[in-house]
Amino acid sequence: TTTTTTTRNQRTKEKANSTTQQSTSSVSPRASFLALIRNTEVMVATSSVAASYAFLGFIKPVSSMVLEEDFGMSIMNRSWVITIATAALFVGTPLAGILADKTQKSRLVAAGMSLMSLSSIFFAASRWLHTATTTTTTAMALPILCVAMSFIGFSLALQRSAGSSLLADLVDKHGLGSYSLAFAVADMADSLGLILGPVVGLTVSQFFGKNVAALLLGGSCLVLVPMLIAIKDSSS
């Protein structure tokens, strides 16, 4: 009986999705785009993309500056440290994809945003430790900065894998029509983040320092966490 009920529920859901897709297929691209940007949950999801890429756009060039100024690293050694983020993204992406099929996607994106915020704290802590007077704490500065880079990579892995699936679920959930337009809005958000992140971050850095700028952009990621957790997707 339980199996029969589950099968009926699945068929009902598939039928509802099919009906929704048919009803939205005739909607114009302009109307579909407006529906996407007016939907609160879609905007929260795309804002998380903008916030994470804003932090990324700021932290990568600034990390290179810090590695040169604070640690006296050559350009080759600096590239190895910054590549830690890319390596973490490479390793984390398939794992994030597997988790996205088994876990609530909005919570995975929220976890990614929390990691991005945590990386800003580690970045600031690394610079504070570097200025410490004891040899032990100074020696901890570079490893902590490397951990911050790894957090960025794993955060982006969760954002890309779970975030794309979440957007697709929200299109179905609200009958918004076009997956392609939803992904286009997300691409616009990451481009906006890459534009605003360096501009805002470097402006703040000039007046208050690199640590404050990193914590400010990292904090913007943390603000979105409760709003992401509140989103109910198809895996809920």
Side-chain angles (χ1 to χ4, degrees), residues 15-229:
K15 193 173 182 180
N17 287 339
S18 176
T19 303
T20 300
Q21 290 172 358
Q22 288 175 2
S23 63
T24 55
S25 60
S26 59
V27 177
S28 68
R30 180 176 178 276
S32 183
F33 178 78
L34 291 174
L36 283 166
I37 64 175
R38 288 171 180 168
N39 185 279
T40 303
E41 291 185 340
V42 170
M43 283 297 96
V44 170
T46 52
S47 293
S48 71
V49 176
S52 60
Y53 277 89
F55 182 75
L56 178 67
F58 165 76
I59 207 68
K60 275 207 165 185
V62 167
S63 294
S64 182
M65 293 166 57
V66 167
L67 288 168
E68 182 181 16
E69 294 170 0
D70 293 357
F71 299 97
M73 282 190 171
S74 66
I75 188 168
M76 178 62 72
N77 290 333
R78 278 181 273 155
S79 67
W80 281 113
V81 174
I82 294 172
T83 302
I84 291 172
T86 308
L89 173 62
F90 177 80
V91 173
T93 297
L95 298 175
I98 293 170
L99 286 173
D101 289 332
K102 299 180 178 180
T103 313
Q104 188 173 331
K105 300 173 186 66
S106 58
R107 291 183 179 274
L108 284 179
V109 178
M113 299 302 285
S114 299
L115 271 179
M116 193 69 81
S117 180
L118 190 60
S119 72
S120 70
I121 297 173
F122 272 61
F123 172 83
S126 171
R127 301 203 68 222
W128 286 327
L129 287 172
H130 182 73
T131 58
T133 54
T134 63
T135 305
T136 304
T137 51
T138 303
M140 293 171 60
L142 183 57
I144 288 177
L145 183 58
C146 291
V147 172
M149 293 295 108
S150 68
F151 283 167
I152 292 171
F154 287 122
S155 171
L156 287 175
L158 291 169
Q159 173 63 253
R160 289 184 176 184
S161 298
S164 297
S165 300
L166 176 61
L167 274 176
D169 282 351
L170 291 176
V171 169
D172 288 339
K173 177 182 175 181
H174 298 287
L176 298 174
S178 174
Y179 297 121
S180 299
L181 274 177
F183 296 144
V185 171
D187 288 341
M188 290 170 63
D190 75 52
S191 298
L192 181 62
L194 289 172
I195 293 169
L196 293 179
V199 172
V200 173
L202 293 174
T203 301
V204 173
S205 295
Q206 287 185 337
F207 293 97
F208 303 103
K210 298 181 182 70
N211 288 357
V212 174
L215 291 171
L216 176 67
L217 291 172
S220 69
C221 296
L222 192 62
V223 167
L224 292 166
V225 169
M227 289 183 274
L228 285 163
I229 292 174

